[in-house]
Amino acid sequence: MPKLKKNKNNERLTKFRSPRGMYDILPIDQQYWDRIETAAKNLARSYNFHRIEPPILEDADLFRKTIGEESDVVEKEMYTLKTKGGDVLALRPEYTASNMRAYLQNSLSRIGQPQKLYNFGPVFRHDRPQLGRLREFWQIGFEIIGGTNDPIFDAQIILIFKSLLDELKIKNTVLKINSVGCRVCRPIYKKQLQNFYKNHEKELCEDCLRRLKTNPLRLLDCKNESCVKLKDKAPNFLDKLCVTCSAHFKEVLEYLDELKISYVLDNQLVRGLDYYSRTVFEIFAEGKESEIGALPGGGRYDYLMEFLGGHTTPAVGGACGVERLIAVMKAKEIIPAIKALKRVFVAHAGEMAKKKAFVLMKSLETEGIAISEALSKESLKAQLKAADKEGVPLALILGQKEIYESSVILRDMRTGLQESISLDRIVEEVKKRWK
Ligand code: AMP
């Protein structure tokens, strides 16, 4: 039998590991997760966004029809499965398509327009695991669906993500922004792009040769060295936008100016998905941390609802990867401040006292008092040592005598001073000490 590896504790590992590109979110990292979720929730509350959580599995066609067959997400990265009933479902690779489906299916437009929605949950992409690229990762999404396609909403989405980064103390970020036009100007631009690249076919990678026919905008997205070199010479979409798209983009930028949010115009930013129209954006950390990839990214998708068979519905939104935020926070040594939770340690001496201590814990918890214990240790000395190690300031001790007297010993762990308190006054006494 092959020798099994050992972990840091010298415990033998089993053959079971988390799947490649998928990780355990460990207790030690919860402070980051809590901080990020709280920041997102607070922003949602301030700007009146409401949480929506669609199912993790959806009809695979929902993503094919909206994100596009040609996109990497659908073509290479979607986890699909066939159910026993014969349905082909996919683990969601993103939220937008599901949100739009849910908006349509649940007639959310009736509640009011636009609908401001947010998400916080896992998505799945069978990508090659590398820096900033996991196969299961969490996204925070903010979307404004319905109403009018007012550029102020594009700016509001960008503002919210920018505020999220500020709130997490991720400073000096770089916002890249572009417009990918509409049904009027995009086909003309695509044609110009095709003409340009046709003269350089020999320099293109295999994927781009295919994209040249199917989705020429994606040529601007390619990371292949020889294709990258060509991008700078390619026609610039910003010069070719129709009057309406140009006015829309100008207004978005004016709102950003008004908010004093700086940006970089990036005419090569097209994003990988088919459903975008007009504004697209990505925000990066500064310096070395930018290598992790975009933190938030998003844009406008006014035609997506039509792909689903609904009426044209203006929509704009974006998503940010939580693991990337945490990686940047760690690299920049941003440690989330955690409010020390006040706790009392409950200790027992003897079997009868253990039962009473168990009941006491329940009454404390009901009163909102957090507890610590070392129930697996029977010796009182060992229990108090554990309390010391945890740094809990107050301990409540129950022994035989206390049971008969209906009292509890309250011990100040810092001074070692102890006093006997009647059981029916203990909650009040603990709260008084905390004040
Ligand atoms: P996208 O829909 O690809 O624009 O993704 C939105 C955001 O999700 C990105 O800007 C990243 O922050 C995050 N993200 C995308 N793909 C991955 C991945 N494979 N691993 C971790 N985070 C990702």
Side-chain angles (χ1 to χ4, degrees):
M1 204 170 99
K3 255 194 166 172
L4 289 167
K5 279 191 187 162
K6 292 189 176 175
N7 69 8
K8 288 179 193 158
N9 267 352
N10 215 19
E11 292 156 337
R12 219 175 291 140
L13 293 172
T14 70
K15 72 182 174 77
F16 296 109
R17 317 297 289 264
S18 59
R20 206 161 111 74
M22 301 188 182
Y23 298 95
D24 302 306
I25 303 173
L26 295 171
I28 197 169
D29 277 336
Q30 284 306 328
Q31 52 184 326
Y32 292 93
W33 287 83
D34 286 351
R35 181 74 198 86
I36 293 169
E37 188 174 7
T38 307
K41 269 191 182 162
N42 288 344
L43 278 163
R45 198 177 40 222
S46 302
Y47 286 102
N48 206 16
F49 281 68
H50 298 279
R51 186 164 180 186
I52 179 166
E53 280 306 321
I56 290 179
L57 283 167
E58 294 269 7
D59 186 327
D61 271 347
L62 172 70
F63 303 111
R64 292 205 183 97
K65 289 217 159 72
T66 53
I67 299 174
E69 297 273 9
E70 270 298 315
S71 64
D72 283 351
V73 170
V74 166
E75 191 190 26
K76 301 179 189 159
E77 299 168 5
M78 209 155 69
Y79 283 89
T80 48
L81 59 99
K82 200 164 177 182
T83 66
K84 285 186 180 145
D87 297 327
V88 181
L89 302 182
L91 284 173
R92 64 174 176 231
E94 54 125 48
Y95 268 107
T96 300
S98 303
N99 287 343
M100 295 297 262
R101 186 225 13 93
Y103 175 94
L104 190 62
Q105 182 177 336
N106 299 291
S107 316
L108 295 189
S109 62
R110 280 214 209 146
I111 303 172
Q113 293 204 36
Q115 279 290 301
K116 294 185 167 182
L117 306 173
Y118 85 99
N119 311 105
F120 188 83
V123 299
F124 303 82
R125 293 183 194 173
H126 194 269
D127 206 346
R128 190 169 64 80
Q130 53 190 299
L131 178 73
R133 293 214 170 270
L134 311 174
R135 288 182 171 173
E136 180 188 14
F137 58 98
W138 283 54
Q139 282 190 335
I140 302 167
F142 285 96
E143 315 211 304
I144 302 176
I145 309 176
T148 60
N149 66 0
D150 194 321
I152 200 166
F153 295 130
D154 308 37
Q156 188 172 53
I157 289 291
I158 294 173
L159 167 67
I160 289 177
F161 281 113
K162 191 77 181 57
S163 305
L164 177 71
L165 298 173
D166 288 346
E167 184 58 33
L168 298 174
K169 313 256 182 310
I170 301 178
K171 299 212 177 92
N172 304 326
T173 48
V174 180
L175 162 65
K176 295 186 179 176
I177 190 163
N178 191 22
S179 173
V180 291
C182 66
R183 279 178 180 154
V184 177
C185 49
R186 192 156 39 187
I188 304 170
Y189 176 66
K190 272 187 180 175
K191 197 89 215 129
Q192 290 178 346
L193 209 56
Q194 269 169 330
N195 290 341
F196 166 80
Y197 277 109
K198 266 188 192 145
N199 294 327
H200 297 276
E201 276 190 9
K202 285 201 189 100
E203 294 146 77
L204 293 177
C205 71
E206 225 171 89
D207 275 347
C208 279
L209 274 176
R210 189 171 34 81
R211 287 172 186 150
L212 185 55
K213 293 193 191 92
T214 54
N215 193 352
L217 269 190
R218 295 282 324 278
L219 285 155
L220 297 172
D221 224 9
C222 185
K223 306 281 181 289
N224 194 297
E225 211 177 307
S226 62
C227 307
V228 170
K229 275 188 201 150
L230 284 174
K231 285 190 207 174
D232 287 338
K233 293 179 220 143
N236 185 343
F237 205 160
L238 291 180
D239 302 332
K240 321 279 173 189
L241 291 176
C242 64
V243 179
T244 336
C245 285
S246 191
H248 183 100
F249 193 50
K250 188 165 161 271
E251 241 186 280
V252 175
L253 300 183
E254 281 168 4
Y255 282 118
L256 295 178
D257 291 337
E258 207 63 40
L259 294 163
K260 300 209 168 21
I261 295 179
S262 52
Y263 49 82
V264 177
L265 296 182
D266 181 350
N267 69 305
Q268 291 169 4
L269 180 68
V270 288
R271 298 185 46 76
L273 320 182
D274 271 6
Y275 54 58
Y276 287 109
S277 53
R278 295 194 172 158
T279 316
V280 286
F281 72 91
E282 282 179 352
I283 309 182
F284 291 81
E286 58 159 355
K288 200 173 161 348
E289 277 76 51
S290 65
E291 286 168 19
I292 203 155
L295 299 172
R300 178 163 281 287
Y301 28 91
D302 290 347
Y303 309 128
L304 201 159
M305 193 62 93
E306 287 175 44
F307 297 167
L308 299 180
H311 294 303
T312 317
T313 306
V316 58
C320 181
V322 177
E323 289 81 355
R324 285 192 189 178
L325 287 176
I326 295 176
V328 172
M329 287 168 83
K330 286 184 175 174
K332 290 185 179 295
E333 295 179 9
I334 303 167
I335 298 162
I338 27 170
K339 258 200 196 157
L341 185 63
K342 287 179 182 163
R343 291 188 174 276
V344 284
F345 193 94
V346 181
H348 64 275
E351 216 167 292
M352 267 291 279
K354 189 172 184 177
K355 287 195 178 112
K356 296 289 173 200
F358 202 41
V359 177
L360 174 63
M361 285 181 212
K362 164 86 179 66
S363 346
L364 292 168
E365 177 273 317
T366 316
E367 290 291 333
I369 297 173
I371 38 208
S372 254
E373 32 70 14
L375 287 172
S376 59
K377 296 192 192 330
E378 296 307 332
S379 122
L380 182 59
K381 200 170 154 205
Q383 292 174 58
L384 292 179
K385 211 169 151 192
D388 230 7
K389 201 170 161 197
E390 252 190 72
V392 188
L394 283 182
L396 305 182
I397 307 166
L398 277 167
Q400 206 72 345
K401 183 164 168 270
E402 284 67 40
I403 296 173
Y404 290 119
E405 288 177 358
S406 281
S407 66
V408 187
I409 296 174
L410 192 149
R411 180 185 171 97
D412 185 322
M413 292 299 292
R414 281 164 295 202
T415 58
L417 288 178
Q418 301 195 159
E419 58 186 294
S420 176
I421 311 274
S422 141
L423 196 55
D424 51 14
R425 275 191 41 239
I426 194 64
V427 168
E428 189 191 327
E429 195 58 35
V430 168
K431 288 187 174 169
K432 200 166 95 193
R433 304 261 170 152
W434 275 353
K435 269 188 193 153

